[in-house]
């Protein structure tokens, strides 16, 4: 399939099934991008890191990244168009047709179960990122990244402990510590 | 509000600013939109904003994009929705495109590699942090079916993530939606039945028998 059409349709699908915001999108991006072999899992994690630490909605950032990486400027346009269309059409429809959408009994009933399902999917996306942190594969060799394990737990505990500080600060801190440690200590 | 060129410009500038200056998307963005739309511009009342958040959360798509679309529609109809949602996306599209065209060349540079290897640990922590934040609703949850859905989805998600079985995540979402609809119908059906049994009439014996059969 043409890469532009593929990007458009893939992001259309991802957008349509992302309920509950940015993080809910990670498992769908992960499964789509990796099953199509578009980019490596490690590069995807890099993109997630940058998308979280740059301004704008996470979903728009990550879609732009993947779109640009695969098809340059027009790749971005196709990915963003796919991301944009379903929510735009749905919101416009709800705006003009039924404003009582979210207080509907069946919608509420669906969300009782959608919330735990999405949570479980984000948790499984976390496990794959955690695995890539613990076991790092670099040019055909895989090694145990014990510093990464310490850094992961230290960042997590800091995020839970200093809730007033934006989590991005810890993202930058972990990048800085990584540079110092892997570059100059190891 | 009156649809005018000036309004559209203000709407566009407001959402350009939100798109350019808000980190983290989603919920972080909602609080900024709320401040701009209800306090600064007085486009909406805070009740309307709450409705918008509820709708943005319960429809597909990024929350930031959903709420921008709805606020835009509220302010200036279809055109407003279009202008607001394009405006909120434009700054990150430009920024990320610039980053992509420069930074990706340096991904093979060892210093950049080390920094990103460190950041990987941070990304993992960030996602786990989001799971804990989003999972707060489980604290007051007593329905076993909710936990069943959680653990079943987790099992399937993990099997898929580690390539033990291969299937698309969307089937978990579709399955959950269907299950949610059936569960809601069954729940209200059983509740109605229970009420009927409590207020006996000439058919109550019949209903009781059926209820007993269901229990078995």
């Amino acid at each position: 399939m043409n890469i532009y059409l593929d990007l458009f349709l893939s992001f259309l699908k991802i957008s349509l099934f992302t309920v509950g915001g940015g993080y809910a999108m990670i498992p769908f991006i992960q499964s789509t991008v990796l099953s199509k072999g578009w980019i490596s899992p490690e590069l995807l994690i890099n993109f997630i890191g940058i998308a979280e630490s740059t301004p704008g909605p996470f979903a728009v950032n990550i879609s732009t990244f993947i779109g640009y990486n695969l098809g340059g400027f027009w790749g971005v346009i196709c990915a963003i168009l796919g991301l944009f269309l379903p929510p735009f059409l749905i919101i416009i429809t709800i705006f003009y047709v039924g404003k009582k959408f979210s207080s509907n009994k069946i919608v509420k009933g669906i969300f009782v179960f959608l919330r735990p399902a999405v949570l479980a999917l984000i948790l499984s996306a976390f496990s794959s990122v955690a695995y890539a942190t613990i076991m790092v594969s670099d040019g055909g060799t895989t090694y145990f990244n014990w510093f990464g394990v310490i850094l992961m737990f230290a960042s997590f505990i800091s995020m839970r402990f200093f809730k007033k500080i934006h989590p991005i600060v810890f993202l930058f801190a972990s990048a800085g510590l990584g540079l110092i440690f892997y570059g100059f200590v190891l | 509000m009156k649809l005018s060129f000036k309004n559209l410009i203000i709407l566009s500038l407001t959402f350009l600013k939100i798109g350019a200056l808000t980190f983290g998307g989603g919920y972080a963005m909602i609080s900024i939109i709320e401040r701009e739309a209800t306090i600064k511009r007085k486009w909406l009342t805070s009740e309307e904003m709450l409705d918008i958040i509820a709708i943005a959360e319960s429809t597909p798509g990024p929350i930031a994009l959903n709420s921008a679309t709805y606020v835009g529609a509220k302010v200036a109809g279809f055109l407003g929705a279009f202008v607001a949602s394009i405006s909120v996306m434009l700054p990150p599209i430009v920024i990320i495109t610039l980053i992509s065209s420069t930074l990706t060349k340096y991904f093979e540079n060892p210093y950049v590699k080390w920094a990103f290897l460190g950041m990987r640990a941070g990304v993992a922590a960030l996602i786990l942090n989001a799971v804990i934040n989003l999972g707060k609703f489980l604290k007051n949850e007593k329905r076993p079916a909710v936990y069943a859905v959680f653990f079943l989805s987790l099992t399937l998600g993990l099997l898929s993530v580690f390539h033990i079985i291969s299937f698309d995540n969307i089937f978990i979402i579709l399955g959950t939606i269907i299950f949610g609809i059936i569960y809601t119908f069954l729940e209200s059906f059983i509740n109605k039945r229970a009420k009927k049994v409590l207020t006996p009439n000439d058919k109550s014996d019949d209903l009781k028998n059926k209820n007993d059969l269901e229990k078995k």
Side-chain angles (χ1 to χ4, degrees), chain B residues 5-26:
Chain B
F5 188 64
K6 198 185 156 207
N7 275 343
L8 284 179
I9 295 287
I10 293 173
L11 190 68
S12 173
L13 287 177
T14 306
F15 276 98
L16 279 172
K17 192 174 96 183
I18 293 169
L21 299 178
T22 320
F23 284 84

Side-chain angles (χ1 to χ4, degrees), chain A residues 13 15-16 18 27 42 55-56 61 65 68 84 87 94 96 101 105 111 113 116 126-128 132 160 167-168 171 179 183, chain B residues 19-20 22-23 58-61 66 73 78 85 92 100-101 111 114-115 120 122 124 126 129 133 150 158 161 168-169 176 188:
Chain A
K13 194 178 82 177
S15 185
L16 200 55
T18 301
E42 290 77 21
N61 296 354
F65 251 128
Y68 188 86
F84 161 79
I94 289 173
Y96 285 111
F101 176 79
K105 201 177 163 193
F111 267 84
F113 298 104
F126 158 76
S127 357
S128 88
R160 299 309 301 168
I168 293 167
L171 212 55
L179 177 62
Chain B
T22 320
F23 284 84
S58 53
T59 46
N66 290 349
F78 183 84
S85 49
S100 294
S101 56
Y111 293 98
W114 292 324
R120 196 184 291 183
L126 195 69
N129 187 43
N133 286 338
F150 176 77
L158 286 174
V161 151
D168 204 325
N169 278 336
T176 307
S188 61

